[in-house]
Amino acid sequence: MFDRYQRKIEYVRISLTDRCNLRCRYCMPEEGVEKLRHEDILRFDEIVRIVRALASLGVRKVRLTGGEPLIRRNIVELVREIHAVPGIETIAMTTNGVMLADMAEDLVQAGLTGINISLDTLKAASFTELTRRPFFTRVEDGIEAIAATGLKDVKFNCVPIAGVNEEELPDLVARFTRERPWKFRFIELMPIGCAYEAGFTGVPMAEVRSQLEASFGPLRPVLPEHGVHGPAVYYQAAGFAGQIGFIDAMEHQFCSSCNRVRLTAEGFLKLCLNARTGVDLRHLLRNGMSDEELRQALQQAIYCKPQEHHFKAASYEEKDSRAMYQVGG
């Protein structure tokens, strides 16, 4: 399935909820968060139906996100159902890891093939300050639980923030990639959510790389592996089992190779992270749309996917003003 710019769309990120058990300062306000009503969120049978339609059009990878996806009840069963959809090769999840310890083994047995854990610091006090929740030890337990499953595709996501965690970046990389074949990725702070209102300033990826090379020596580029690729560019330090990834959406756009769409928790097929354009699939599904009509609606919408995200534009009339937890992380 291709859009009008001849990009091959084979990856869907599905938000299961807009709720989260953390309140990260660059993502969500401390209080006053307006939550979706239960009846407005897609049911699992509706999600699986959409996945089946997308798979028939060429989508091969599904990522479950939130909010925090592990909050959603019976998520293990959803993973199992998606795993059974013909054509789906990869089922991944992005989580903060707080609830992972109790679910890791069941998720992997149900068909989960990859996991991304968001982690910005190794210091319990800094974690509590940044997330407004004292759950650092729970995240540590979750990481050890996923390691015990033997899952190979384990990644970590970190947002480098000036004056917050920039001094910890080499320690984070060493902790998770020196001995284990995992990937630690740095994601440039984007103008989404509460980041700028909270006074945070992101650390440019060039500075992050320079800091890491000062600690570990030159970083060697790693060729992409087979499968459905994301926006990260990977490197490896000498003697390290794992890899280091950089996602610098602000300085180096990867829009020309974007292969993904997003499905929000309330069922809106979102064609670009920074745009409002898309189609309300929940409305269509709940008004009697057939499977073939669903396929056609998906194909027509994806064909019109925007060319780029326009993060740097002073004004962009199609810009989505919602935070990341509302559109799907």
Side-chain angles (χ1 to χ4, degrees):
M1 177 170 51
F2 293 85
D3 68 7
R4 56 183 164 172
Y5 302 106
Q6 291 304 298
R7 293 173 296 195
K8 187 178 183 181
I9 309 304
E10 51 187 350
Y11 178 11
V12 60
R13 299 173 66 100
I14 301 175
S15 175
L16 302 183
T17 178
D18 63 331
R19 303 188 182 201
C20 188
N21 45 12
L22 299 181
R23 286 293 181 273
C24 295
R25 294 179 181 274
Y26 58 76
C27 182
M28 298 177 71
E30 184 172 8
E31 55 187 19
V33 177
E34 186 176 348
K35 300 173 183 176
L36 291 171
R37 299 182 305 168
H38 179 74
E39 58 267 30
D40 291 336
I41 296 176
L42 283 184
R43 304 187 305 268
F44 282 175
D45 64 296
E46 292 171 325
I47 292 173
V48 173
R49 188 178 172 194
I50 292 170
V51 169
R52 286 200 189 99
L54 286 168
S56 72
L57 294 169
V59 166
R60 295 187 288 141
K61 178 176 180 177
V62 174
R63 177 172 296 279
L64 303 177
T65 72
E68 170 50 44
L70 293 181
I71 288 177
R72 189 77 185 262
R73 292 183 180 180
N74 300 319
I75 187 173
V76 172
E77 183 57 34
L78 176 63
V79 171
R80 185 174 291 108
E81 290 188 40
I82 293 175
H83 179 65
V85 174
I88 297 300
E89 300 172 0
T90 302
I91 307 173
M93 178 183 297
T94 296
T95 174
N96 58 34
V98 172
M99 300 174 67
L100 185 57
D102 293 333
M103 300 189 196
E105 184 175 357
D106 290 341
L107 287 166
V108 173
Q109 289 183 353
L112 191 74
T113 60
I115 196 162
N116 289 17
I117 300 171
S118 300
L119 185 64
D120 298 318
T121 178
L122 291 173
K123 300 176 181 178
S126 297
F127 181 94
T128 300
E129 172 66 20
L130 188 60
T131 68
R132 301 188 178 103
R133 299 290 188 271
F135 295 156
F136 181 71
T137 56
R138 294 193 195 180
V139 177
E140 287 187 307
D141 291 343
I143 293 170
E144 291 309 310
I146 204 67
T149 69
L151 188 69
K152 294 181 179 180
D153 184 9
V154 178
K155 302 184 182 77
F156 293 85
N157 294 338
C158 172
V159 179
I161 304 173
V164 176
N165 62 351
E166 58 186 330
E167 300 301 322
E168 289 190 70
L169 306 186
D171 292 337
L172 283 159
V173 168
R175 168 76 176 273
F176 297 110
T177 70
R178 189 186 294 276
E179 304 294 336
R180 287 168 163 162
W182 293 347
K183 295 177 180 177
F184 200 93
R185 297 123 54 87
F186 294 102
I187 303 176
E188 194 168 19
L189 188 68
M190 292 179 281
I192 298 174
C194 306
Y196 292 179
E197 290 86 346
F200 288 136
T201 301
V203 181
M205 293 295 102
E207 292 184 20
V208 175
R209 180 171 173 176
S210 295
Q211 183 182 3
L212 297 179
E213 289 187 324
S215 298
F216 308 130
L219 301 180
R220 174 179 58 84
V222 178
L223 294 177
E225 301 170 354
H226 296 296
V228 181
H229 307 307
V233 178
Y234 289 100
Y235 296 82
Q236 194 164 35
F240 279 54
Q243 299 175 17
I244 305 165
F246 299 96
I247 303 175
D248 49 352
M250 298 297 291
E251 294 303 321
H252 300 95
Q253 287 190 15
F254 40 81
C255 298
S256 62
S257 60
C258 184
N259 61 354
R260 70 192 60 189
V261 290
R262 295 168 183 266
L263 183 65
T264 68
E266 68 269 39
F268 187 81
L269 184 73
K270 190 172 171 59
L271 304 176
C272 174
L273 177 60
N274 197 41
R276 297 194 306 268
T277 53
V279 58
D280 185 350
L281 296 180
R282 184 191 69 194
H283 174 77
L284 296 177
L285 289 175
R286 295 182 183 179
N287 281 274
M289 171 173 273
S290 70
D291 288 344
E292 182 55 33
E293 289 171 333
L294 175 59
R295 278 171 44 88
Q296 292 177 9
L298 289 168
Q299 202 161 22
Q300 291 170 5
I302 290 172
Y303 181 78
C304 297
K305 179 177 167 67
Q307 185 173 15
E308 58 181 286
H309 57 52
H310 296 289
F311 273 138
K312 288 190 172 184
S315 61
Y316 175 43
E317 62 181 11
E318 295 296 334
K319 181 178 180 180
D320 193 332
S321 62
R322 293 177 295 174
M324 187 70 87
Y325 69 92
Q326 295 171 310
V327 302

